[in-house]
């Protein structure tokens, strides 16, 4: 019997240890800082999974708007968050959010949905309702996750935490070009105003505000190319033993 208990203990500890050894790289930062692109490219280098946590908040906001839910109604939003029929399908260059069987990548990628997402994301119980869904992405061989609070709240034990930043003007310019490439036309000035408002809401909310984790490496991408940012992150990851 003693050996049975001992065996169960070993099994328990090794399972726990293996789980916590699955490496996680978190890339947090404001909208338009390049998190999504950098995450995808770093995940490609190491063959890791991707978590686009912003997409989860965007899908929730999109579903709420579609149902006519008041974006301040925390009870209804919590229930919606818990029951969201959301999955991600690998596509060329990333993952596509599938809501109720439908690919809604295009529908969620505009500043209006981004702003709605930042309103629902300011509600503490909504954030709590989405935590397990995000943590479930920590799978072998590893994970690159991007968002606002991945290093501070979702994966506080991540092996490498990056905080990507860039000026609001540069981020608006990137978003403008990205939208144009995707066939969406929104004036630059309007994007800049929405980005500033969203920054303000994300940085000043009482729960999980947008701040670098105390052990994060901040990279200002204003005058860096994507390739330079990716190689900086990959180098920092290798220095921590990732990919070796
Ligand atoms: O990163 P993205 O622009 O897609 O995120 C949309 C919004 O979702 C953000 O402005 C933020 O308010 C919210 N968000 C968050 N925490 C995360 C990811 C996104 O609050 N981890």
């Amino acid at each position: 019997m003693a050996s049975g208990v001992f065996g169960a203990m070993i099994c328990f500890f090794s399972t726990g240890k293996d789980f916590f050894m699955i490496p996680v790289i978190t890339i947090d930062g404001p909208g338009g800082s390049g998190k999504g692109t950098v995450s995808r490219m770093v995940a490609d280098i190491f063959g890791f999974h991707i978590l686009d946590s912003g997409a989860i908040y965007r899908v929730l906001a999109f579903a709420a708007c579609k149902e006519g839910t008041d974006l301040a109604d925390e009870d209804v939003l919590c229930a919606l968050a818990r029951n969201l029929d959301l999955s991600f399908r690998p596509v060329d260059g990333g993952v596509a959010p599938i809501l109720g069987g439908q690919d809604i990548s295009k529908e969620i990628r505009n500043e209006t949905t981004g702003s709605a997402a930042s309103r629902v994301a300011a509600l503490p119980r909504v954030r709590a309702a989405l935590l397990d869904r995000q943590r479930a992405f920590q799978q072998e061989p590893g994970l690159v996750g991007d968002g606002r609070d991945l290093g501070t709240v979702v994966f506080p034990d991540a092996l490498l935490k990056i905080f990507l930043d860039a000026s609001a003007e540069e981020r608006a310019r990137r978003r403008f070009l990205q939208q144009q490439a995707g066939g969406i036309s929104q004036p630059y000035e309007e994007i800049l105003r929405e980005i500033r408002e969203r920054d303000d809401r994300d940085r000043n909310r009482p729960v999980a505000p947008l701040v670098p984790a105390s052990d994060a490496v901040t990279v200002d991408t204003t005058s860096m190319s994507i390739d330079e940012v990716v190689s900086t992150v990959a180098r920092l990851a290798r220095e921590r033993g990732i990919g070796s």
Side-chain angles (χ1 to χ4, degrees):
M1 183 180 158
S3 74
V5 170
F6 189 57
M9 282 174 69
I10 289 176
C11 174
F12 171 79
F13 284 123
S14 79
T15 304
K17 187 163 176 267
D18 288 346
F19 176 76
F20 288 111
M21 283 187 60
I22 297 174
V24 176
I25 300 172
T26 59
I27 304 188
D28 288 310
S33 55
K35 303 182 305 287
T37 309
V38 171
S39 297
R40 282 194 295 277
M41 291 172 76
V42 171
D44 262 4
I45 291 174
F46 296 108
F48 281 8
H49 299 279
I50 298 171
L51 164 60
D52 174 357
S53 64
I56 299 179
Y57 288 96
R58 283 172 184 266
V59 170
L60 176 62
F62 173 79
C65 292
K66 211 169 141 196
E67 291 187 6
T69 302
D70 175 359
L71 295 185
D73 190 334
E74 199 163 7
D75 288 337
V76 177
L77 288 165
C78 264
L80 196 58
R82 270 190 230 102
N83 300 315
L84 213 53
D85 177 15
L86 169 66
S87 58
F88 287 91
R89 194 178 58 207
V91 288
D92 229 18
V95 286
I98 310 293
L99 179 66
Q102 228 187 325
D103 183 339
I104 55 160
S105 317
K106 260 222 167 112
E107 287 82 344
I108 63 164
R109 289 292 156 208
N110 54 60
E111 238 347 274
T112 310
T113 310
S115 296
S118 87
R119 290 182 59 196
V120 303
L123 304 170
R125 285 192 290 122
V126 168
R127 301 195 71 83
L130 293 175
L131 266 184
D132 286 347
R133 195 185 280 266
Q134 294 174 79
R135 288 182 176 146
F137 280 75
Q138 187 177 6
Q139 303 270 342
E140 292 283 6
L143 175 70
V144 182
D146 78 87
R148 301 293 185 288
D149 64 338
L150 295 197
T152 50
V153 177
V154 186
F155 298 109
D157 299 322
L159 225 72
L160 173 62
K161 300 178 185 178
I162 301 289
F163 190 84
L164 285 194
D165 215 344
S167 70
E169 291 76 10
E170 172 61 16
R171 289 184 283 123
R173 193 187 67 85
R174 289 176 191 168
R175 184 75 15 116
F176 177 74
L177 294 176
Q178 196 181 35
Q179 291 199 354
Q180 275 200 326
I184 303 167
S185 77
Q186 192 181 2
Y188 168 84
E189 288 304 331
E190 193 179 307
I191 297 176
L192 179 60
R193 182 177 46 75
E194 286 179 345
I195 275 190
R196 286 197 172 123
E197 280 171 14
R198 191 141 71 93
D199 276 2
D200 194 51
R201 201 163 29 230
D202 288 350
R203 288 183 207 272
N204 297 311
R205 67 187 174 205
V207 58
L210 172 63
V211 282
S214 57
D215 50 350
V217 179
T218 296
V219 179
D220 188 328
T221 71
T222 306
S223 48
M224 287 173 88
S225 70
I226 286 287
D227 286 344
E228 283 171 327
V229 181
V230 171
S231 57
T232 302
V233 176
R235 177 180 49 79
L236 290 165
R238 289 194 187 98
E239 281 171 15
R240 283 160 177 76
I242 293 175
S244 54

